[in-house]
Amino acid sequence: MNLTLLGQMGTFAVLIFFIWRFLWGPLTRLLEERARRVQDGLAAAERGHHELELMQAKAIETMKKARAEASELLAQAEHQALLVIEDAKRQARAEGQRLIIAAREEINGDMNRAHEQLRAAVASLSVAGAAKILEREIDPTAHTNLINSIAARL
Amino acid sequence: MAAGSSPVEYITHHLANLRVGEGVMAVHLDTLIVSWVIATMLIVVSYYVGRRLSLAQPRGLQNVLESVLEFVDQQIRSIFPGRSHLIGPLALTVFLWVFFMNAMDLIPVDLLPWILSLFGVENFKGVPTADPNTTLGLALTVFLLVQFYNVKVKGLEYLLDFLRYPFGIWLAPVNVVMMLIEEISKPLSLGLRLFGNMFAGELVFLLIALLPWWIQWLPGGGWAVFHILVITLQAFIFMMLTIMYLAMAHESHDADV
């Protein structure tokens, strides 16, 4: 054993210092930083996962609501359509009724007019016929009342 | 094996250091230079890797050093109480430096001495950890740190412990002797264990080098493969004991069994 021992102790101390400054310090900081980032990443992933779940639940909820709304709208529309059809039917029926009544009235009017014409024709025919049968002149004015009463009975 | 020399001469030649000066004032240039080269190499590599650290895409040496550092840090966390700024760099330095100094053992025993003999260098021992000056120097540094932290953490209690343990205050003189032996045996065993392993490893390589050239590959290869395990294991043991001794220095007595 000799001075080499002291030399090696000095070298040892110097080497510890440089390993500390150049290697241990930067590298431990780096490893800590990396560990921190990994931790952050995992936390962010966890958060993302959680958010995704929330969003999925929300999406399902929204879908459900939309479906319910749609079916409600559909029901309303069907109801509306039924009402419209019902209304149209009613209107059509009323219109038909009205047309029937109008037609009937027209027929009645025609019939009355025909009756009138017939009555007039019968009156004149009966006068002519009576004149022919009696072969003498009958004063139409004297018997108008009689003829009219006959015609009115038609 | 140099022609014309006996096995004993060959071995003693290879186990002699490149020495300057005499006695206690002597300096082993080979030990110092090799360990300095390795230390410089470690500093340069640390500097370059530490400068170009990449958070997202670590590559090459950074990956290697990250693994080593995490391994060392894991050992520290499992043993060391609380946090210390020194223990990490200290343990990492011990592991890397000792590992590479041990690894010098794997360079063929005659290669460096032969190359240097061409330049007139007579003796060259290429494994710094096969020199007790290195291993005891490291152990002594650790010992000083241990004593420093013992006093820093436990204060006067630490000195009183020399009187009170293990036999109680009434046997204080015996206690002091026992505790001194225990404290001093720690750095001694720490340093001598590493030295003994590396010296023996070197010696076996030298003995293998004495065999006929056509058979050397078999025991030489086998021993080299085994030695890869030894150099790693010894570096690891030195680091673990360093951490352990410093951990013990940081623990207060209440936490002791």
Side-chain angles (χ1 to χ4, degrees):
Chain A
M1 295 238 289
N2 47 44
L3 277 183
T4 315
L5 185 133
L6 288 181
Q8 293 296 64
M9 288 174 74
T11 313
F12 190 31
V14 170
L15 186 57
I16 291 172
F17 174 76
F18 280 110
I19 292 265
W20 192 342
R21 285 298 299 274
F22 291 163
L23 191 62
W24 183 272
L27 207 48
T28 42
R29 278 197 291 279
L30 178 95
L31 291 177
E32 271 161 20
E33 169 73 11
R34 188 181 295 153
R36 203 176 58 72
R37 283 204 185 175
V38 169
Q39 209 78 37
D40 286 357
L42 286 177
E46 187 66 30
R47 236 181 1 257
H49 195 68
H50 192 63
E51 260 166 33
L52 180 68
E53 269 175 5
L54 276 179
M55 285 297 163
Q56 272 175 345
K58 211 183 226 173
I60 288 171
E61 192 67 26
T62 311
M63 286 274 282
K64 243 185 223 165
K65 210 186 264 176
R67 208 171 282 149
E69 258 171 35
S71 60
E72 199 182 327
L73 279 178
L74 205 60
Q76 268 182 9
E78 266 170 14
H79 187 62
Q80 204 74 29
L82 275 180
L83 282 183
V84 167
I85 291 171
E86 211 54 48
D87 202 38
K89 271 185 187 165
R90 211 171 48 241
Q91 275 183 8
R93 213 174 280 135
E95 181 74 14
Q97 211 70 34
R98 203 175 58 74
L99 281 177
I100 290 168
I101 289 167
R104 241 180 229 154
E105 271 171 4
E106 206 176 320
I107 291 166
N108 278 349
D110 280 356
M111 226 147 81
N112 284 345
R113 258 194 312 279
H115 274 199
E116 288 302 322
Q117 284 175 356
L118 206 55
R119 235 178 252 144
V122 166
S124 56
L125 271 179
S126 37
V127 170
K132 281 257 161 90
I133 293 165
L134 291 177
E135 287 195 338
R136 62 175 178 124
E137 198 134 334
I138 294 169
D139 185 9
T141 52
H143 302 283
T144 307
N145 286 341
L146 178 69
I147 293 161
N148 277 351
S149 67
I150 294 167
R153 250 180 282 147
L154 274 165
Chain B
M1 179 176 166
S5 61
S6 73
V8 176
E9 276 169 3
Y10 172 78
I11 287 175
T12 46
H13 175 79
H14 272 279
L15 290 181
N17 284 101
L18 178 59
R19 179 194 299 259
V20 174
E22 282 305 319
V24 210
M25 298 304 284
V27 169
H28 293 166
L29 281 182
D30 47 3
T31 300
L32 283 180
I33 287 170
V34 171
S35 55
W36 284 345
V37 166
I38 290 169
T40 311
M41 183 191 82
L42 286 176
I43 291 170
V44 168
V45 167
S46 298
Y47 181 75
Y48 274 100
V49 172
R51 263 299 178 79
R52 293 161 197 203
L53 290 179
S54 162
L55 186 72
Q57 292 163 314
R59 57 171 95 178
L61 263 181
Q62 188 189 336
N63 277 326
V64 177
L65 288 172
E66 268 184 28
S67 315
V68 173
L69 186 141
E70 282 189 325
F71 170 72
V72 172
D73 198 43
Q74 208 180 328
Q75 307 305 323
I76 294 171
R77 281 172 200 276
S78 67
I79 299 173
F80 202 80
R83 301 296 299 154
S84 160
H85 289 300
L86 176 69
I87 186 71
L90 174 71
L92 184 62
T93 305
V94 165
F95 185 68
L96 290 176
W97 201 31
V98 170
F99 175 79
F100 282 108
M101 287 193 293
N102 290 352
M104 292 298 292
D105 223 358
L106 294 176
I107 296 176
V109 280
D110 277 322
L111 187 62
L112 286 178
W114 175 71
I115 292 173
L116 288 163
S117 73
L118 297 180
F119 297 95
V121 178
E122 251 179 56
N123 297 308
F124 196 83
K125 215 172 124 189
V127 188
T129 42
D131 182 344
N133 287 299
T134 301
T135 62
L136 289 172
L138 289 174
L140 192 59
T141 312
V142 173
F143 174 76
L144 292 177
L145 285 171
V146 166
Q147 298 312 314
F148 171 74
Y149 281 109
N150 262 323
V151 174
K152 191 187 168 198
V153 173
K154 298 169 200 161
L156 197 61
E157 284 286 305
Y158 177 62
L159 298 177
L160 288 176
D161 281 349
F162 277 83
L163 301 177
R164 291 184 298 203
Y165 293 94
F167 297 124
I169 193 69
W170 301 111
L171 283 170
V174 185
N175 289 341
V176 170
V177 173
M178 296 287 284
M179 289 292 277
L180 279 178
I181 291 174
E182 190 188 327
E183 284 303 311
I184 291 167
S185 69
K186 280 179 190 169
L188 263 182
S189 67
L190 183 63
L192 290 179
R193 176 186 303 108
L194 181 58
F195 162 69
N197 272 283
M198 289 305 115
F199 188 83
E202 186 82 338
L203 200 60
V204 172
F205 275 123
L206 289 172
L207 291 174
I208 289 167
L210 287 169
L211 295 173
W213 64 269
W214 46 267
I215 194 67
Q216 281 183 14
W217 63 274
L218 184 60
W223 184 243
V225 169
F226 179 66
H227 220 60
I228 292 172
L229 184 69
V230 173
I231 61 179
T232 316
L233 194 64
Q234 287 305 318
F236 174 70
I237 288 172
F238 203 99
M239 178 194 81
M240 285 306 283
L241 286 172
T242 302
I243 299 171
M244 194 105 75
Y245 290 152
L246 275 164
M248 283 161 69
H250 279 81
E251 272 167 1
S252 63
H253 239 309
D254 309 327
D256 275 2
V257 178

